[in-house]
Amino acid sequence: MLFRRASLASLATASLATAAVFAVGGCDAGADTKSAAASGPSVIAPGRPGEANRTLSAQEAAGQRADDNSPNAADRSYATMMIEHHAQALEMTGLAPERARSAAVKRMAERISASQGPEIAAMKNWLRTDGESTGEGGEHDQGGTHDHAHMPMPGMATEAQLKQLKSAQGKAFDALFLTLMIAHHQGAITMATDVKARGHSVRIEEMADDVIAQQTAEISRMRALS
């Protein structure tokens, strides 16, 4: 009788121990699953040209996506300088109605004016609403952006060239206008390509894409008129 009671007690103890083991195991598995779900899958982030790819956690990738759209100095400098760049193009196209001989050159000047005027307005609006200073450092503040606006810009006509264009008439104006405007467009494309490589703002990248596409097409048309 004593042996039977002892056996029952041993079985009960063994059953309790087994249940405890499963309970602990279940808690550990749940914690691991929860931890894995929280961490999420890893993400491969492509590096910039010349840089290796990086492996990021889901949280890091989400944070980087948010940060990448923040305007940086390259974005602000591009918008500020391109406003000035476009303004010179409008100055040049404004001479065509009275001085150009070719109707095709006049139409080209009108086309350039019709596209670059609204682009100036869009970039000014972006600077007011999205291109504000982020306090990242000297070159990123308003003073730094202002200084960038006075850096040499590719494709800009010199004062002497503008003076020559303003005094030209007829065929001479047509030839000089096309020469200067082709160089001007090539400079704008250089600036747009640069900001696509160095900027962060998606909106500025879209503007740069528009400049590259439109002005590349216009260069082809102007070369056909030369």
Side-chain angles (χ1 to χ4, degrees):
M1 192 71 170
L2 289 174
F3 176 76
R4 184 178 180 185
R5 288 179 179 174
S7 298
L8 290 173
S10 298
L11 287 172
T13 301
S15 297
L16 289 173
T18 302
V21 169
F22 278 115
V24 171
C27 289
D28 288 345
D32 290 343
T33 302
K34 187 174 181 180
S35 175
S39 63
S42 61
V43 177
I44 302 298
R48 291 180 178 274
E51 296 180 359
N53 294 342
R54 292 177 296 153
T55 302
L56 306 176
S57 69
Q59 292 89 340
E60 288 173 334
Q64 180 159 320
R65 283 195 296 271
D67 291 342
D68 279 351
N69 194 34
S70 301
N72 64 6
D75 296 313
R76 287 186 288 275
S77 295
Y78 173 80
T80 304
M81 291 192 294
M82 192 58 83
I83 288 169
E84 183 177 345
H85 203 273
H86 276 16
Q88 188 184 75
L90 295 184
E91 182 181 0
M92 294 164 65
T93 58
L95 300 171
E98 298 297 327
R99 297 186 172 277
R101 176 177 178 178
S102 168
V105 169
K106 290 181 180 181
R107 286 194 299 270
M108 177 56 65
E110 184 179 358
R111 178 190 180 96
I112 293 169
S113 179
S115 64
Q116 295 199 18
E119 286 174 0
I120 288 175
M123 287 183 284
K124 285 182 176 179
N125 183 64
W126 181 86
L127 284 169
R128 284 192 300 267
T129 59
D130 299 311
E132 69 276 3
S133 173
T134 61
E136 295 169 343
E139 70 169 342
H140 296 144
D141 61 17
Q142 294 298 328
T145 301
H146 181 73
D147 290 342
H148 286 183
H150 293 86
M151 293 172 61
M153 287 178 277
M156 290 284 279
T158 66
E159 288 299 322
Q161 288 172 328
L162 286 177
K163 185 177 180 179
Q164 184 181 1
L165 184 66
K166 291 174 182 178
S167 63
Q169 289 279 359
K171 287 186 176 181
F173 176 89
D174 294 346
L176 183 57
F177 174 85
L178 292 171
T179 297
L180 295 179
M181 192 59 75
I182 288 172
H184 203 269
H185 275 30
Q186 288 170 332
I189 291 171
T190 296
M191 293 167 65
T193 302
D194 180 66
V195 78
K196 281 172 58 64
R198 300 193 300 114
H200 283 176
S201 169
V202 171
R203 181 68 185 111
I204 288 294
E205 182 176 0
E206 291 171 347
M207 292 182 187
D209 284 337
D210 289 342
V211 165
I212 292 170
Q214 183 164 317
Q215 298 202 18
T216 297
E218 289 173 352
I219 286 173
S220 296
R221 293 188 180 97
M222 287 189 286
R223 282 177 173 162
L225 296 174
S226 300

